[in-house]
Amino acid sequence: MTKQTEGVDALLELRRANFRRVTTLFGGPTRIAGLLGFKSGSYISQLASGHRPLTDKRSRAIEEKLNLDRGWLDKEHGGTPVFGELDPNNSWARIPGEAKLAAEESTPPTSSKLMSDVVHAIGAVLEESKIIAAPAKFATLVDLAFENAQLRGGVDEAFIRKISTLLK
């Protein structure tokens, strides 16, 4: 294998990893397929798994449609988990492709249900409002809404609607 081939393979793997991060962030293959103009999540899953290549042209189109900086998929982002990814430092986290942890370690903390509810509520509000949030802005919305939900003891959809208007 030549150095050029190795470089291309490394770039495609980095793109795939970043695309999986974005797919998770935006609510999964089906939701991101809709945002990108596809009928189903099948093509998205193929891109994320490597069964289809993330070409330069496709990568730039994805970045443009999702309001990501040009070249975002081609850059290393420090290994810091983007919101929505499982944190490998948590004993309950399971990273795709790795073996499942033992049953006694696989129980998520009680706040994970609340976090899940917050993410789903934000996703629904943004989709209903036809707002596409950049990953950093989405993470900020989740952070604010989760903090509010912890204080109130549950998801406050009115609060989520208010803060999501800041993205219009």
Side-chain angles (χ1 to χ4, degrees):
M1 186 179 287
T2 66
K3 285 187 180 190
Q4 184 178 12
T5 305
E6 289 174 6
V8 170
D9 289 345
L11 177 61
L12 291 175
E13 184 53 41
L14 178 60
R15 280 183 186 161
R16 263 195 307 278
N18 284 333
F19 185 66
R20 285 191 298 267
R21 295 175 98 179
V22 170
T23 300
T24 300
L25 231 165
F26 280 88
T30 303
R31 181 149 190 285
I32 205 165
L35 294 172
L36 295 174
F38 299 110
K39 292 180 182 177
S40 76
S42 176
Y43 182 69
I44 300 303
S45 295
Q46 291 172 8
L47 289 171
S49 70
H51 288 355
R52 290 193 183 251
L54 271 165
T55 63
D56 288 340
K57 184 177 179 180
R58 172 59 52 205
S59 297
R60 301 302 79 85
I62 289 168
E63 292 162 350
E64 184 177 329
K65 287 183 180 180
L66 297 179
N67 294 324
L68 298 170
D69 292 336
R70 184 171 175 79
W72 191 92
L73 290 171
D74 296 350
K75 296 177 186 164
E76 179 63 48
H77 297 285
T80 305
V82 172
F83 174 79
E85 291 183 315
L86 297 176
D87 183 348
N89 296 319
N90 289 333
S91 63
W92 54 270
R94 185 176 65 83
I95 306 301
E98 292 184 359
K100 251 186 181 171
L101 297 173
E104 63 271 7
E105 294 180 341
S106 65
T107 305
T110 56
S111 64
S112 70
K113 172 71 171 111
L114 184 59
M115 177 62 82
S116 178
D117 292 344
V118 166
V119 171
H120 287 289
I122 290 172
V125 167
L126 294 179
E127 189 169 17
E128 178 184 303
S129 305
K130 298 189 185 322
I131 296 172
I132 297 176
K137 290 182 180 182
F138 184 84
T140 301
L141 283 175
V142 170
D143 185 44
L144 292 170
F146 183 65
E147 186 176 315
N148 178 268
Q150 286 177 311
L151 292 172
R152 293 174 127 319
V155 176
D156 182 353
E157 192 172 318
F159 178 76
I160 291 172
R161 287 185 186 287
K162 285 179 188 174
I163 62 174
S164 67
T165 62
L166 297 172
L167 298 176
K168 288 185 177 180

